Amino acid sequence: MKVRRWVPLVMGAALVMAACGSDDDGDSADTTAAGGAETTAAAGGETTAAAGGDTTAAGAAGGDCVVGVSWNNYQEERWAKFDEPAIKAAVEAGGGTYISNDAKSSAETQASNIENLMSQGANVLVVLAQDGTAVKPSVASAISNGVPVIAYDRLIEDENALYITFDNVEVGRLQAQTIFDLVPSGNYIIIKGNQADANADFLRAGYEEIIGEAVTAGDITIVGETYTDNWDPAIAQTQTEQFLTAANNDVQAILSENDGMAGGVVAALQAQGLAGQVPVSGQDGDQAALNRVALGTQAVSVWKDARELGTAAGEAAVQLCANPDASAVADTAPFTTPGGIDVTSILLTPLPITQDNLDVVIDAGWTDTANVCQGVEAGSVAVCP
């Protein structure tokens, strides 16, 4: 399968810090998007340009290529800080116009938002699905009306949609391999993501490839496994607390599918005096997670450089403006979904970040030494002198 490889710093430092959107716990009525797009929180909210230009239906339709992005939850740290600036920069570099809105974790709102983006003149849609099944009718409707759709980072099983993501089965393998190398036997907890997101099962499939034989042999016992609504860290913390209680704290490793939930997992471990003793996995290269890696409370964060993902989506969107055939987009390959549907995809390559290679994310401008080394004993980690 053809994949696009990570290329450090292809976009420069300006993309890294371009965002000015709200942070994870922001809940204001309006969200100011990176690069000057302001999106109302309500379903079907109007998108306007910060500089005063109107990109409602009349204004947006004035461009030759209008790319509408439907965010499932813009309050997630990475969307505003990394993904959106990269998408927007790539679209504008290709002569297009960027508009967006935010579903705030509501599948119903996302359906309305997709209609609204098309009413504003979007002739390509990039959809980060809140619920990959619930959004299918909206995607099918858009495609049937001549608006191509990119399923961004989360699978939407529609044969005509272009699926752009990192190889999530590989992310699972990388997480599990790191933890398995540290703890080849013992009691494991598995904290999976949202059940409505196919990525949760892709990651779990990667886990199975690494630890499956050890589980069958009885070397590893899974003492708790669950999905987590909306990948919510607070829910992950509660679930971990319950599993720890049920196992009388006899747990040797925890596979958490992303960094946000890993934060909840580590909080539960800290309450029991187990943080740093029980290795925990994650993904996304969140700033707090990279600090936890340096501190030793999280063993690995599989880094998916969202700047590369956003650039790939923005470039593909511009190509789809010219030719709506997803298979004609550069660097694509076929992908068969869990439901047996053949889609066109671009799968990027992730990288596991541990204490041994924290310099990679620092050198790439993804984070800095001050963040990584906050609270870390000097000299205990190579990047923290």
Side-chain angles (χ1 to χ4, degrees):
M1 179 176 291
K2 185 186 298 182
V3 298
R4 288 175 58 138
R5 299 288 175 179
W6 171 67
V7 181
L9 296 176
V10 291
M11 303 185 347
L15 288 181
V16 180
M17 298 306 296
C20 55
S22 62
D23 59 18
D24 286 9
D25 57 5
D27 194 30
S28 59
D30 292 334
T31 299
T32 301
E38 183 180 284
T39 305
T40 61
E46 179 177 279
T47 304
T48 59
D54 185 359
T55 59
T56 58
D64 293 332
C65 180
V66 180
V67 178
V69 181
S70 174
W71 297 102
N72 81 306
N73 181 4
Y74 189 75
Q75 284 66 47
E76 186 82 18
E77 173 187 295
R78 61 168 280 200
W79 309 134
K81 192 168 186 178
F82 298 113
D83 295 71
E84 184 183 57
I87 295 172
K88 189 171 186 290
V91 168
E92 292 179 350
T97 301
Y98 173 97
I99 60 175
S100 72
N101 52 30
D102 175 21
K104 290 204 165 185
S105 299
S106 167
E108 293 79 9
T109 299
Q110 186 158 55
S112 298
N113 282 356
I114 288 171
E115 292 181 8
N116 182 259
L117 288 169
M118 289 191 291
S119 76
Q120 293 180 53
N123 41 34
V124 175
L125 292 174
V126 178
V127 179
L128 174 64
Q130 169 64 22
D131 184 322
T133 299
V135 80
K136 287 171 66 175
S138 297
V139 169
S141 176
I143 292 172
S144 69
N145 282 286
V147 180
V149 174
I150 294 172
Y152 186 75
D153 202 41
R154 295 176 180 173
L155 180 66
I156 301 169
E157 291 194 278
D158 187 302
E159 63 183 359
N160 295 306
L162 174 60
Y163 178 39
I164 300 181
T165 188
F166 281 83
D167 185 340
N168 287 294
V169 175
E170 176 66 4
V171 172
R173 284 191 290 259
L174 293 171
Q175 289 181 345
Q177 190 65 63
T178 301
I179 301 301
F180 183 68
D181 288 345
L182 294 170
V183 185
S185 63
N187 293 336
Y188 275 49
I189 292 172
I190 299 178
I191 304 295
K192 299 183 291 189
N194 190 18
Q195 189 169 10
D197 184 347
N199 283 353
D201 291 327
F202 288 143
L203 290 157
R204 183 60 178 88
Y207 292 173
E208 189 65 20
E209 291 185 27
I210 303 302
I211 67 171
E213 290 185 7
V215 172
T216 301
D219 295 329
I220 290 175
T221 301
I222 298 172
V223 296
E225 177 171 353
T226 185
Y227 290 103
T228 307
D229 287 347
N230 289 322
W231 304 77
D232 190 311
I235 296 174
Q237 179 175 346
T238 298
Q239 291 171 159
T240 303
E241 290 168 347
Q242 293 170 345
F243 288 142
L244 288 171
T245 298
N248 294 315
N249 284 350
D250 184 16
V251 173
Q252 283 69 55
I254 300 181
L255 288 168
S256 164
E257 289 191 340
N258 83 347
D259 285 341
M261 296 190 307
V265 169
V266 170
L269 290 171
Q270 284 174 330
Q272 300 301 315
L274 296 173
Q277 299 178 39
V278 177
V280 177
S281 68
Q283 67 158 318
D284 290 334
D286 284 357
Q287 302 298 302
L290 295 172
N291 178 235
R292 289 194 297 269
V293 170
L295 288 166
T297 57
Q298 183 170 327
V300 61
S301 174
V302 177
W303 182 36
K304 305 185 303 184
D305 190 340
R307 299 168 298 181
E308 185 187 359
L309 186 67
T311 298
E315 291 175 348
V318 172
Q319 293 178 61
L320 288 170
C321 279
N323 180 356
D325 180 5
S327 65
V329 173
D331 299 324
T332 57
F335 177 86
T336 301
T337 74
I341 297 173
D342 292 327
V343 300
T344 301
S345 71
I346 295 175
L347 299 182
L348 308 181
T349 304
L351 178 70
I353 301 298
T354 66
Q355 286 189 347
D356 294 334
N357 66 341
L358 279 164
D359 60 305
V360 172
V361 284
I362 294 173
D363 291 346
W366 182 262
T367 188
D368 57 33
T369 302
N371 172 73
V372 169
C373 298
Q374 183 177 0
V376 178
E377 182 182 352
S380 63
V381 179
V383 296
C384 302

